[in-house]
Every structure is written in C-alpha cells, then in structure tokens.
Amino acid sequence: MNNPLAINKIIQKLLLPALLLAATVTRAQEFGGNPPSLKWKQVNTPPARIIFPAGMDSAGIRVANIVQQMNGLIKPTIGLKQKQVSIVLQNQTTVANGYVGLAPFRSEFFLTPEQNSFDIGSLPLPQQLAIHEFRHVQQYNNFNVGLSRALRILFGEGGQALGNDLSVPNWFFEGDAVFNETHVSEQGRGRLPYFFNGYRALWAAGKNYSYMKLRNGSYLDFTPDHYPLGYMLVAYGRQKYGDNFWKNVTHDAAAFKGGFYPFQRAVKKYATTDFKTFSNEGLDHFKEQFSGADANVKPAPNTSKHFYADREYPAYINDSMLIYMKSTYDHIPAFVIKTGNKESRISTRSNSLDNYFNYHDGKVIYASYRPDARWGYRNYSELMVLDVKTGKEHRITQKTKYFSPAFSADGKSIVVAQVATSGASELHILNTDGKLIKALPNPQKLFYTYPQFYGDDKLIAAVRNPEGEMTLALIDIATGAAKYLMPFDFRPIGFTTIKKDTVYFSQTDGINDRLFVLMLGSNKCYELLPTGNDAGIGYYQPAVADDKLAWVGFTASGYQINEVNKKDPKWIDAGTEYAHHLPDMGITALKRDSSANMLGAVVDKPLPVTGYSKAHGLFNFHSIIPNISDPNYSFAITGENVLNTFQSELSFNYNRNEGYKQFGFGATYGALFPYISGGVDYTLDRRQFYKGSYIYWNETSLHGGLEVPLNFSAGKHITNLAFGSDLYFNRTSFQQGNAQQFADRSYTYLNNYLSFSNQMQAAKQNIYPQLAQSISINYKSAISGAGSTQLLASGTFYFPGLVTNHSLVINVAHQQKGKNNVISFSNNFPFSKGYTAESLDDMNKVGINYHFPFAYPDAGFGNIVYLLRLRGALFFDYTRATADNFFTNGSSFKQNFRSTGAAVFFDTKFFNQNSISFGIRYSRLLDDDFFGGTGRNRIELVLPVTFF
C-alpha cells in the first residue's frame, strides 16, 4: 500500500477497547421522564431513602420496612459496608423491572406486575424488587475495594463500576440476588421450574455448550441469559462451601488480588478446585435434579440444529387449523395460521410486552405497548384488534394499562386486567369498540391475571392475594365478589382457558409446570398427563378445540406447540396432595440461617413520611467519563440527580477536524416541557483554512436553550422527534499573527436543530431494521456582530438487502455556509471515508453502503474476547466541495472527494459480558486527499464511540 497505517498507531488503537469495558448498568431510567405534576414523598432510613409518588405511602413504607429489617440479617454473607442508597418507585410505566446502578448510585423500581406469574413469581412486585434489588446495593457497597476502589478515586462511581464489571461477572450479581430473593421468601426464582427451562432444554437435547458460549450467547443458537447460570453457581457455592464463600471470593476479585482472572483465582483459592471444575460441578448438581423428569423429552420437530422459532399462544380456529405467534431470529414476531403442515403469515405484531393474544371468530385481540409522547416513564398498554382475513388491525383503546384481553363467547364483549398507577388491579368489561362497560369492584384486593368469560355473568381468572399466593377464582361480574376454587399457595398459576364447564390452566407442580383441568360442576381438579414423549419442557398456554388439545413446551430450538387428540391424555386426580410447597432444587442452604423466609416475618412498623424536594441534590457529580465521537475526543465530570431531572457536567473536548481544545460547563433541566439547558465554554486554538493558510483564534461562549423531545412510537414503528434552539454569545480573540488581519469581535447566533428517526422493529440477527429513516437538520445563524450562517442537513435511510439480514444503507448530507463567513462554526459534516476532512463553503455527500453478515463463529479465547458475528460492508462515498476566495489570489475551490472500499466488523463480547463492535476499514481514494497525506490507500480502525 502507498500509505499504510503505522504499526504503533494500530497498537495504540487496539488498546482502546480495554477502556470500553464499562459498567453493565441497566439504563432503564429516562431523563426527565415524569410530568411536573407528580409530587414526591420519602421514607428515610439508614440503609435506604425510599422516594415515591404521593399516594403510594403504603408501598413506600412496606419497601422501607423490608429493606431495613432484611439488611442486617443478610449483610454478613456479602460484607458489612453500608452506604445509603436512594430507591425511586416508578408507577407510571407498564413494565415490570428494577435496577441498581452506579454513576449515579441509585435504584429504581418499576411497579406494574406482569401477567405471567411463572416468570419472576407471584410475590407483590414492590416486595419482590426489594428482596432482589437491595442485594445489588449491598454488592456495590462491598465491592469498593482494591483496584476497584483506586478506579473510583480516579474516575468516580463510573470507575468503580468499570472495576467491578471487569472483575465480578454479571452472572454473580444476578445469581446472588436471585439466591437472596429465594432465601428470604417462600418463593423466589430459585424455586420456580420456569426459571430453569432454558438449561433443562439444552440438557435434554444433549447440547453441552462451552462456558464461554453460555456466557456470551449466540446469533444462531438459543442460550439462556445469565440469571439462571448465576443462581445455579451461587447456590451450589453456598451449599458446598458455606455462606461466607462468595463474600470471600468477590472481595478478592473486586480488589483484583492475583492480577488477571481475579474471580477465577479467588474461586480456586476458596473452593480448592479450579473454576472450570467448580462450574461443571455446579451445573451438574442442578442437571441431576431434573434428569428424571426430562429423560423422555424429545427434540423439537424440525431438522434445524440451531434455534428454529418460538411458536406461542396457540388458539384453535377449528380442529384442523391453529393460529399462533411465531418469532424467529431473523424475522420479527408475526401471527401465523397453520393448516396441516403449512404455515401462512397473517401480519406482523405491533410492539408488545409479551406474545399473549386471544382469538374469536376471525378476530385477534392483544395488548400493544405505546410510550407517552413526552414523558419517558409513562407508557401504556393499549388494545389492538386484528382482522385475520384482511391482516389489518386497529387500536380500540388509548392511554390505558390493559393486559391479557379475552373475548366473550359471543364475541361482543372483552374482559381485560387493568393495573392503575396506585398499583390496584381491576377487571374491566369493554365492548368491541373499546368503550368501558363496567369496572368490577375488587373488595378482596386481588391481582388478576389471564381473565376469561364463563357464561354471561361470571369470569374465571388466576389471582394473587396480597401475600403473593395464588389460586383460581370465579368472579361475579355484577358484584366483583370472588369465589376461590382451590387453596391458596405460592405455586404460580396462569394461562387459563375455558371450554364449556372445564377450566384448563398451567400450574407449578414440584419441579415441573404442569397442565391441569378444573371441573366447575364438581369442583374436582385433575392433572393432564399426555401420553408418549413431548416436545419441550413444561406445559404452558393450553388451547382446546372440540377434539384437539394443544399446549406449548420449551425446547433448545424455541417454544414449540404440542398437539394431541383431546381424549388421549390421562386424567390424574390431583387429590389431597394437590397443595404443597415449592421445591428447593436440592439447595438446603436456603433454610439454614436466621434470614431464611424473613419476608413473612417483616413487621409493618409505622415510619415517618415526609415530602421530597425536587431540588434535592441537583448537583450530584459522580463520574469522570471519557468519550470518542469522531471528530470529538473528550472527557467530562458528569452529574445527575436521583430523580433524573437535572444533568450537569464539566468537560474538556478536543476536536480533530479543527484542532481546538475546549473547556466547558453545561446543564440541562428536564422536569419541564421543554427541556431547559445552558452553559459556558472556552475554546483555544480554533482554526480555519482561509485563502491558502490557516487562521487561529480563541473563543468564549455562553449559551442557553430549549429542547422539545417527543416519542411518537406506535404500532410496528419506533418514532422519535426532537427539536430545539440554543442562543449563543461568542467572544472571539484572534491569535498573534492573525490579529492584524482580523479584528476581535463579539457575536450572537442561534443554533436551531431538528432530529427525526423512524424504524420498524428489528429481529435479533438483523444488522439494521429492514426499513428506517434518520434525519437531522442543524442551522446556525448569527443575529448580531457577524453575518455567519451554516446549514447542515443529513439523512440515513435503511432498506432491505438482497437476502434476509442484509441491509442497504444510503446516507446523504448537505452543508452550506454563508458566502462572507469569517468565523466558522464547528464542522460535523460526514466527509467521505478515508479523507482528511475540512469545513468548506458548500459540501454535498452521497454514500451507499451494503452490510451483510458472513460468519457466526461462536468462539473465543481465554474468557477475554468472544466473537459472535463477522459482518462485511461495501461502500461508495461521493463528496463535492466548493469554496469561494479559497486561494490567496481570490479564486474559488472545487473538488470531488470520492472513495470506495470495504470493511469487516467484529461483533464481540469482552470479558464474557460487554458487547463491543469494532471494524477494520479499507478505503480506496479515487481523488487526491487535498488536505491530508499522499497515496490512495487508507486503512482505519473503526472504534466504538463511548468508554463508559
């Protein structure tokens, strides 16, 4: 090559990915996500400050009591260090979730429970989150040691997060928290068969994946997430080596004792066996628990050795036709009708939180996720009705929190489970236009899941009581009174369906989730035991026709539908043994200290509730964060308050295009509509090419502005729009050598901007969405002291490629500067690849890119780097640039900058948990690089854009 990249530069850049292994912090929070009308209260205790919306006092006090009474009992098994955390209870969402994070140190609980009780259990969600998430608080408090502490001193909380992330695997964080929730309650995921289905399916199929593959996942094969892996290894460690085992291991690991592989070294030290042996023994323990139950499970009925498809929620159109939801790794979820062995696609599904739907007489109804246009913490679950014959759907409710809708027998009414922002659960009866007919009273304070009509005047639903126990209930539509059809216990129940006087449902039974039927006439309960071998682990989502029975089981190739003649399964009387406790999966350590099942003994002590000021802790600087977003290289001391309404930063930035150094302070207040921002910057050594040579100057800038962020996502599209304007005051001082030619000046300008993005849903293997658009417009115009203007408009458009998972990406850009500009605005024009960029008067670019995957290695080495996918890109860029008075003789400049080439991108995970994509790009310059080096061949390393 004429101009090869220097070896030392390659080495320097290859070191950068090590800095990218930042904290795995769940960024579920939304900046400025709650409306200003929301008033906040607090309960302040030594371990945690619980912050919650006014009116949710009982939930706030309950969480505070659980945390305070649990804290001292469970601290000894992780460490005794304690720093108070702020926990914010969010009630405006439809998503069941929670997190604890550093940078800043805080926690948020999202309090709308999900309908599927098999997933995380049936405990009241505030309690479930308290016993799980607070364990993360204790982890972070006690992992601030050794090298992790040194990184915290250097980089703040983000530094500790980086150190913890590099030394303690994410499976331990979650596995230890799942152990805690299982240990301190009568339920917890460690006792739920559904939690283990992924591993059971792999074991049943004889798929013995390597530890690295289980840790990092795959674009080809199903791999469970890190939660069950973590629980199995944590539980086995405590079972065999005692309750202090993990405290010792993680303390040494977070301190980086022993240097490389600190976690594995610590396991070997305290288990006196190497990590590979330890992990194999831990998995073997649980494999043995399920071996008998899964011995006859047959593989999925397909010839693919990789993940095939999830087929879920079957419903009978007639005895020979099924409708269900189908999801694959390369196509987004869609409704499918199966006749015999032939599948016919009806329509893709709108964005939803789950795949549940209900069918009746050619219509499908389901709940679709829709965010609020402005407030990020507020979102809705709205009902969509799909016409199976035409494939068209329409929305029948707006701004509702409706779940698990079901038609009545005549198709004229709909029942839904509704969850209010107060946490209260109700059953609503609607007509087919979505109009509310009746909201049923809930005198027993139940939480309703999967309601179904039973006749004209009653409903059947799986219900949870305030303690989290479950049963089936017969509910009178007129009064809301519930008659309990079985004893309450902590075994999850769900997926109810009714045929005449028989209720079919799934319920946990020992180490399995089974199918049951309840005869409403006699109130007798039977377990359905299909004959022969079944495809999949578990029995879920039953569907019943006149002569057919179907259900869903989980396999290593996805959820699969099993179908039998209705008369074939055996009916086994559930009898007096029907109610019993959930299994411990052979982990007796769950019962051996004073914190075992302490949740049941928590006393609801009265705690003082006071107001929480929205101005509390506005300036909360927590981290020093480096960032690369070429041409800008920066680091910033960042701050954010607990309510996530005020962000502030002190920053330094180096701009490669213009060579300047900038110091600044900026802040944004997001609790109002629109956002309000302001700041000050001081810039050294800005430069511009002017009449054959560079001119240099310094700048002082003050700015303030407004921004309107909007989210118009709905249906099958994710759509965002943001626009705003900032007013800048600049004082320019030309440096020695240019001061005689140009006079210092002050000027004021407006920075107006608009960004718009719209995309379809994307499947797991899709590199980019099949259709998407991203458009940005930025117009800067001086309004006093100068006549400078600059317009930059750019757009990127995504289209399907020739083959599934291929993408054609076209980007265009236009920059126009004022004819007599002396002071140039910052240059962010996306110049042709390979060239040295310069800001010129008029620039236009068209880029054509074709992206395609070509290998899925699923391989790595040394638990350091794992390669999931190799993908290629071909490109052609054309930039046309012109400038008036460019040369010293006053003549203009006109030049083409064309380049073509190819890139290889590596989609990887480092240290088994941090996703990093980087590439090597070769550019062939078809024109001279007027502002850069000689030669037409360029090689560049394409790096990620953020460090933390």
Side-chain angles (χ1 to χ4, degrees), residues 572-645:
I572 302 174
D573 191 338
T576 57
E577 300 296 320
Y578 182 64
H580 55 268
H581 293 291
L582 291 166
D584 290 340
M585 311 298 180
I587 303 298
T588 59
L590 290 168
K591 294 293 188 181
R592 70 182 176 204
D593 72 17
S594 60
S595 58
N597 193 26
M598 58 77 55
L599 183 63
V602 169
V603 178
D604 287 327
K605 297 178 181 179
L607 296 172
V609 175
T610 59
Y612 183 81
S613 171
K614 295 178 182 179
H616 179 83
L618 284 180
F619 291 94
N620 178 32
F621 291 106
H622 54 73
S623 302
I624 299 176
I625 299 180
N627 182 67
I628 289 180
S629 184
D630 192 62
N632 294 301
Y633 299 76
S634 68
F635 70 86
I637 303 172
T638 62
E640 185 176 45
N641 66 330
V642 167
L643 290 180
N644 203 20
T645 56

Side-chain angles (χ1 to χ4, degrees), residues 97-98 108-111 124-134:
N97 203 356
E108 288 187 294
F109 295 180
F110 302 91
L111 296 182
L125 192 54
Q127 299 182 36
Q128 169 73 21
L129 293 172
I131 61 178
H132 179 96
E133 301 299 339
F134 191 73

Side-chain angles (χ1 to χ4, degrees), residues 200-307:
R200 294 175 68 178
L202 294 182
W203 295 332
K207 293 183 179 290
N208 298 307
Y209 295 145
S210 68
Y211 172 79
M212 286 194 73
K213 183 164 182 172
L214 293 173
R215 289 287 290 113
N216 294 291
S218 171
Y219 283 108
L220 288 179
D221 300 307
F222 165 77
T223 53
D225 65 26
H226 54 284
Y227 283 71
L229 173 67
Y231 176 76
M232 288 187 286
L233 296 186
V234 168
Y236 176 75
R238 287 187 65 160
Q239 177 75 13
K240 185 169 183 179
Y241 300 106
D243 292 333
N244 290 326
F245 174 70
W246 290 115
K247 177 177 69 173
N248 297 329
V249 167
T250 54
H251 185 278
D252 283 10
F256 285 82
K257 289 187 177 180
F260 289 109
Y261 303 106
F263 191 85
Q264 289 87 338
R265 286 173 181 267
V267 168
K268 185 175 182 179
K269 175 181 176 181
Y270 292 103
T272 64
T273 187
D274 64 88
F275 179 76
K276 183 176 181 180
T277 301
F278 168 81
S279 59
N280 287 338
E281 289 177 350
L283 294 178
D284 286 345
H285 169 88
F286 284 89
K287 187 176 182 179
E288 180 65 26
Q289 302 299 311
F290 299 111
S291 59
D294 300 340
N296 296 320
V297 175
K298 66 181 181 180
N302 64 73
T303 59
S304 172
K305 65 179 181 179
H306 300 298
F307 176 86

Side-chain angles (χ1 to χ4, degrees), residues 215-512:
R215 289 287 290 113
N216 294 291
S218 171
Y219 283 108
L220 288 179
D221 300 307
F222 165 77
T223 53
D225 65 26
H226 54 284
Y227 283 71
L229 173 67
Y231 176 76
M232 288 187 286
L233 296 186
V234 168
Y236 176 75
R238 287 187 65 160
Q239 177 75 13
K240 185 169 183 179
Y241 300 106
D243 292 333
N244 290 326
F245 174 70
W246 290 115
K247 177 177 69 173
N248 297 329
V249 167
T250 54
H251 185 278
D252 283 10
F256 285 82
K257 289 187 177 180
F260 289 109
Y261 303 106
F263 191 85
Q264 289 87 338
R265 286 173 181 267
V267 168
K268 185 175 182 179
K269 175 181 176 181
Y270 292 103
T272 64
T273 187
D274 64 88
F275 179 76
K276 183 176 181 180
T277 301
F278 168 81
S279 59
N280 287 338
E281 289 177 350
L283 294 178
D284 286 345
H285 169 88
F286 284 89
K287 187 176 182 179
E288 180 65 26
Q289 302 299 311
F290 299 111
S291 59
D294 300 340
N296 296 320
V297 175
K298 66 181 181 180
N302 64 73
T303 59
S304 172
K305 65 179 181 179
H306 300 298
F307 176 86
Y308 187 52
D310 282 329
R311 293 175 170 87
E312 298 177 83
Y313 293 99
Y316 278 100
I317 297 175
N318 54 52
D319 273 352
S320 60
M321 295 178 68
L322 275 174
I323 182 172
Y324 49 84
M325 181 70 64
K326 180 180 179 182
S327 312
T328 67
Y329 280 0
D330 56 1
H331 289 89
I332 59 178
F335 295 100
V336 169
I337 287 180
K338 182 180 180 182
T339 306
N341 292 321
K342 182 181 178 182
E343 289 183 334
S344 301
R345 180 179 172 278
I346 304 169
S347 173
T348 58
R349 186 210 62 196
S350 293
N351 290 305
S352 299
L353 296 176
D354 60 26
N355 286 328
Y356 173 88
F357 71 92
N358 187 258
Y359 172 82
H360 183 274
D361 195 22
K363 304 290 184 185
V364 161
I365 188 167
Y366 67 99
S368 174
Y369 173 83
R370 186 186 184 102
D372 187 83
R374 166 60 183 92
W375 306 108
Y377 282 117
R378 178 183 287 174
N379 44 67
Y380 308 103
S381 185
E382 302 175 333
L383 300 186
M384 305 290 289
V385 173
L386 170 70
D387 188 305
V388 172
K389 187 173 294 186
T390 65
K392 295 181 178 180
E393 66 178 23
H394 65 282
R395 180 176 52 161
I396 64 169
T397 68
Q398 296 185 35
K399 297 186 175 182
T400 51
K401 294 178 71 174
Y402 284 160
F403 303 91
S404 300
F407 287 109
S408 60
D410 60 8
K412 295 181 180 179
S413 301
I414 300 163
V415 61
V416 294
Q418 201 262 170
V419 182
T421 55
S422 65
S425 178
E426 292 181 332
L427 293 174
H428 285 190
I429 309 296
L430 317 174
N431 66 17
T432 54
D433 292 327
K435 183 179 179 180
L436 179 63
I437 298 173
K438 182 177 180 62
L440 276 63
N442 184 6
Q444 287 119 314
K445 296 182 179 180
L446 301 171
F447 183 83
Y448 301 107
T449 66
Y450 302 111
Q452 300 278 325
F453 280 97
Y454 177 52
D456 296 329
D457 59 351
K458 291 182 176 59
L459 301 167
I460 297 283
V463 299
R464 312 175 194 170
N465 66 16
E467 288 72 42
E469 299 170 307
M470 294 199 72
T471 188
L472 286 181
L474 179 67
I475 301 151
D476 186 272
I477 292 177
T479 65
K483 176 185 176 183
Y484 304 131
L485 303 177
M486 302 182 304
F488 273 106
D489 68 24
F490 282 106
R491 296 183 299 145
I493 304 175
F495 309 124
T496 55
T497 190
I498 298 176
K499 187 72 172 179
K500 297 181 179 177
D501 290 327
T502 305
V503 184
Y504 295 76
F505 61 98
S506 300
Q507 185 172 28
T508 299
D509 180 34
I511 62 172
N512 295 295

